[in-house]
């Protein structure tokens, strides 16, 4: 399937409230509850909902997202949990949790990001996301590396062992173009997938901070690592003043 060939159709469908949910497949052996959906897909579209209050007043609200598969079925719903004052005064540096729920409203993935500023040259300011599934059980981390050139991240398992590498472009502020973060094997030699911030039009880019992201990964990638790649996407989203402009 061509990833970008389905993008426009999915973005249009994102505005509809009656989008069908993906049927739950049979869970593979050892699969955390709720991650069985990821065993059947190799692409995800993460669509941020536009909040009217935020558009009109500029008041930063908790972000919400619909996560869909390649044929437009909703797989998960994501909702940010953060402090109101920190959202207004700390912006993308704020700490937050992200609750990922299935079609029954059960939280199947939990993500946490501590407060970090955007100084990527300082070790104490490097971005990090912890991913849990089920909530309370860590399955992996996304950790920013200290670099002078391109933004780089390491995706690890629960023991902190490197599983994947992610690298962004030198210039992440691209006008009228998608911004792509390439995902490689742990040694950085084999392409594995990518996370793309999709250009959504001048009006939406200028007047809102709502984002559309696409995630590609191999069908046979471990479902836990697929969930951690979803966490990598939200880490990019949360740092949008630097990475997703």
């Amino acid at each position: 399937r061509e990833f970008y060939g389905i993008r426009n159709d999915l973005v249009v469908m994102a505005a509809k409230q009656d989008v069908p949910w993906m049927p739950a497949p049979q869970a593979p052996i050892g699969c955390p509850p709720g991650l069985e959906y990821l065993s059947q897909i190799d692409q995800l579209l993460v669509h941020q909902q536009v909040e009217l209050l935020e558009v009109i007043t500029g008041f930063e609200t908790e972000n919400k997202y619909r996560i869909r598969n390649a044929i437009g079925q909703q797989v998960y719903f994501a909702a940010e949990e953060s402090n109101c004052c920190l959202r207004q005064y700390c912006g993308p540096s704020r700490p937050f949790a992200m609750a990922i729920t299935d079609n029954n409203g059960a939280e199947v993935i939990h993500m946490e990001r501590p407060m970090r500023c955007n100084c990527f040259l300082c070790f104490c300011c490097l971005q990090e996301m912890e991913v849990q599934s089920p909530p309370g059980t860590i399955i992996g981390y996304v950790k920013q590396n200290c670099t002078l050139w391109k933004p780089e991240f390491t995706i690890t398992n629960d023991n902190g062992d490197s599983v994947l590498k992610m690298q962004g472009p030198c210039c992440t502020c691209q006008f009228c173009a998608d911004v792509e973060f390439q995902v490689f094997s742990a040694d950085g030699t084999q392409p594995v997938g990518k996370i793309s911030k999709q250009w959504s039009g001048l009006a939406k880019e200028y007047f809102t901070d709502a984002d559309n992201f696409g995630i590609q990964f191999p069908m046979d990638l471990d479902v836990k690592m697929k969930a951690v790649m979803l966490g990598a996407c939200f880490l990019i989203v949360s740092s949008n003043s630097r990475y997703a402009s």
Side-chain angles (χ1 to χ4, degrees), residues 20-27 34 36-41 69 71-76 102-104:
W21 283 79
M22 176 180 174
Q26 183 176 359
E36 61 269 15
Y37 297 93
L38 298 178
S39 67
Q40 303 295 312
I41 55 179
N69 61 16
I71 61 174
Q73 295 172 323
Q74 186 159 330
V75 183
Y76 299 118
D102 63 11
N103 59 355
N104 294 316

Side-chain angles (χ1 to χ4, degrees), residues 222-237:
D222 184 89
V223 292
K224 295 180 181 179
M225 288 302 101
K226 291 182 180 181
V228 180
M229 280 189 65
L230 181 59
C233 178
F234 283 119
L235 186 59
I236 297 172
V237 173

Side-chain angles (χ1 to χ4, degrees), residues 11-197:
V11 171
V12 170
M13 291 178 67
K16 300 180 180 180
Q17 298 300 315
D18 57 347
V19 176
W21 283 79
M22 176 180 174
Q26 183 176 359
I29 297 175
C31 176
L35 297 194
E36 61 269 15
Y37 297 93
L38 298 178
S39 67
Q40 303 295 312
I41 55 179
D42 59 3
Q43 299 177 8
L44 287 173
L45 179 74
V46 180
H47 174 82
Q48 184 175 350
Q49 296 186 185
V50 177
E51 300 292 339
L52 186 59
L53 175 64
E54 190 169 335
V55 173
I56 296 175
T57 67
F59 184 86
E60 185 72 26
T61 59
E62 290 178 312
N63 294 323
K64 298 179 179 63
Y65 306 84
R66 295 185 182 275
I67 303 169
R68 294 185 169 84
N69 61 16
I71 61 174
Q73 295 172 323
Q74 186 159 330
V75 183
Y76 299 118
F77 182 81
E80 175 188 350
E81 301 170 352
S82 60
N83 179 274
C84 179
C85 291
L86 292 178
R87 286 199 306 276
Q88 312 313 313
Y89 295 106
C90 298
S93 300
R94 66 184 181 269
F96 69 87
M98 190 71 69
I100 314 294
T101 55
D102 63 11
N103 59 355
N104 294 316
E107 184 176 4
V108 296
I109 306 172
H110 185 82
M111 304 174 182
E112 293 188 359
R113 195 200 80 160
M115 178 178 284
R116 291 287 191 273
C117 73
N118 284 328
C119 180
F120 63 97
L121 296 178
C122 181
F123 283 102
C124 65
C125 297
L126 297 178
Q127 306 294 325
E128 181 176 328
M129 179 77 83
E130 178 184 281
V131 183
Q132 307 169 12
S133 183
T137 301
I138 298 173
I139 59 172
Y141 301 88
V142 184
K143 299 181 178 182
Q144 184 184 14
N145 304 325
C146 186
T147 59
L148 296 175
W149 194 238
K150 296 181 178 180
E152 294 182 358
F153 299 82
T154 298
I155 296 174
T156 76
N157 60 19
D158 57 321
N159 294 319
D161 302 321
S162 178
V163 178
L164 299 170
K165 300 286 187 182
M166 183 171 67
Q167 185 178 81
C170 299
C171 178
T172 58
C173 301
Q174 300 185 22
F175 183 73
C176 294
D178 295 342
V179 178
E180 294 187 348
F181 284 71
Q182 301 295 331
V183 180
F184 300 91
S185 56
D187 60 7
T189 60
Q190 298 297 321
V192 174
K194 63 182 177 180
I195 299 175
S196 306
K197 195 275 182 181

Side-chain angles (χ1 to χ4, degrees), residues 215-227:
I215 309 173
Q216 286 181 301
F217 37 64
M219 183 73 76
D220 60 355
L221 183 67
D222 184 89
V223 292
K224 295 180 181 179
M225 288 302 101
K226 291 182 180 181

